[in-house]
Amino acid sequence: MISDRLEALRKAMKENGIDVYYFNTSDYHMSEYVAEYFKTIAYFSGFTGSLATLLVDQEKAYIFVDGRYHSQAEKQCLKNGVKVEKLGIKGVKDPIGFILDNYKDKVLGFDGKRTSIKFAKALVSEGIKVKSLDIYSNLIEARVPLSKNEIYEFSKMYVGVSRKNKIEIINHYLRGSCLIVNNLESIAYLLNLRSDDIDHTPVFLSYLVFLDSQVYLFVDSSRFNKKTLDYLFEDQIIVRPYDSYYEFLKIIKNKTVFLDETKVNFETFIRIS
């Protein structure tokens, strides 16, 4: 079954002019732990650990894992024709080093929504040709959907600082500049909101943008009850659909933008550049 999935992926790569495709275990928000929806490495390699990198070219597939997962990766991946690169063993290069050694003149594809700006820039600075394109989602059968569970207010007895005060402090220092936040823990903390989109992590999939002293939260409003929505309105937070984030970014031109290149995805960088 894995071999069929890899064959379908390679066909999509060829159709889109991609020589090698890169997967990581992150989501659209550079999270360490992710929802089931984003466990694509497991789908294309069989590996179910929490941290890995998968590279697939037209002939071979390689999975990079640290010492915690050497044995697990061998057990789960070798039978599927995926070679295990054991990070930490002498002579084994990390994914960037491996890419530079083996794919210097090739086109490397990845999902820019799941790849950090820092990682993509590191490749580009070394002369690697990159293409940000999701070619795999249409290949995944019976994919678990993203959570639509309720987003709720975090109890005031635990908060310490109100959402309104946090926003005022940030806007004071921004002085009209733009701040883009993809990191889910940061958004949950900043807005004093919680949910359960990721197991054991009380966060919710969303993006946050400070622009011209206004605050835009990109999350489906149907996930709030009326009372919480009213509170957000009172705090002058503009709620827009989760999927409208990238289209919105097009209006951010000729602005000073603050963001964390390790925690903001590369597709964001493309849209504001």
Side-chain angles (χ1 to χ4, degrees):
M1 183 177 289
I2 298 293
S3 60
D4 293 336
R5 294 171 181 175
L6 288 172
E7 183 179 345
L9 178 67
R10 287 176 173 127
K11 181 181 179 183
M13 289 163 56
K14 188 173 292 186
E15 290 172 349
N16 288 281
I18 294 170
D19 299 303
V20 55
Y21 203 79
Y22 163 91
F23 291 94
N24 60 30
T25 44
S26 192
D27 58 13
Y28 301 148
H29 307 274
M30 306 300 103
S31 303
E32 179 179 2
Y33 301 104
V34 299
E36 195 68 29
Y37 179 90
F38 295 103
K39 296 182 179 179
T40 46
I41 283 184
Y43 189 84
F44 288 103
S45 73
F47 177 70
T48 58
S50 64
L51 185 64
T53 296
L54 178 66
L55 290 174
V56 180
D57 63 28
Q58 286 298 333
E59 302 295 331
K60 298 178 182 179
Y62 306 87
I63 191 159
F64 298 76
V65 293
D66 62 35
R68 295 172 295 169
Y69 297 119
H70 289 176
S71 297
Q72 178 181 341
E74 284 189 330
K75 185 179 295 185
Q76 294 180 324
C77 299
L78 290 179
K79 62 185 178 183
N80 297 318
V82 179
K83 187 177 185 301
V84 179
E85 296 293 324
K86 300 178 181 179
L87 298 173
I89 300 296
K90 187 176 182 179
V92 176
K93 295 198 173 183
D94 66 13
I96 289 183
F98 188 91
I99 290 167
L100 293 177
D101 281 354
N102 295 277
Y103 305 116
K104 185 72 174 179
D105 299 317
K106 305 295 184 180
V107 176
L108 178 87
F110 53 62
D111 184 350
K113 295 179 181 178
R114 298 179 61 183
T115 306
S116 73
I117 297 172
K118 182 178 180 180
F119 181 85
K121 280 188 171 182
L123 293 174
V124 172
S125 69
E126 294 289 348
I128 300 295
K129 301 172 187 175
V130 301
K131 178 178 283 191
S132 174
L133 187 65
D134 174 1
I135 63 170
Y136 60 87
S137 285
N138 290 336
L139 306 177
I140 299 177
E141 299 176 359
R143 195 174 192 180
V144 177
L146 296 174
S147 172
K148 296 293 183 182
N149 292 344
E150 182 178 351
I151 302 169
Y152 56 89
E153 290 271 354
F154 195 45
S155 175
K156 290 182 180 179
M157 66 183 292
Y158 303 119
V159 168
V161 182
S162 72
R163 172 171 54 231
K164 187 174 182 180
N165 284 348
K166 292 176 184 177
I167 290 170
E168 287 174 349
I169 292 168
I170 291 173
N171 273 328
H172 171 76
Y173 286 103
L174 283 176
R175 300 183 184 279
S177 298
C178 176
L179 172 66
I180 296 175
V181 185
N182 285 182
N183 179 255
L184 301 181
E185 289 85 358
S186 297
I187 296 172
Y189 167 77
L190 238 174
L191 301 182
N192 297 337
L193 297 171
R194 302 289 188 271
S195 191
D196 57 0
D197 289 11
I198 301 173
D199 289 344
H200 317 299
T201 309
V203 297
F204 52 96
L205 298 182
S206 57
Y207 303 95
L208 190 66
V209 177
F210 289 72
L211 180 65
D212 296 327
S213 299
Q214 292 187 305
V215 183
Y216 297 87
L217 174 63
F218 295 85
V219 66
D220 295 333
S221 61
S222 62
R223 300 186 60 187
F224 298 106
N225 63 38
K226 185 180 183 305
K227 189 175 182 179
T228 303
L229 268 179
D230 288 343
Y231 285 147
L232 292 172
F233 179 78
E234 288 174 10
D235 290 336
Q236 298 183 320
I237 295 172
I238 302 167
V239 179
R240 295 200 170 185
Y242 180 70
D243 291 337
S244 70
Y245 167 70
Y246 294 100
E247 186 66 26
F248 175 86
L249 292 177
K250 293 179 181 179
I251 73 171
I252 303 177
K253 297 291 184 183
N254 303 315
K255 287 279 185 182
T256 299
V257 178
F258 293 93
L259 52 78
D260 182 345
E261 292 194 347
T262 67
K263 294 294 185 180
V264 173
N265 66 49
F266 187 61
E267 189 66 24
T268 295
F269 178 78
I270 292 173
R271 298 299 178 100
I272 65 176
S273 296

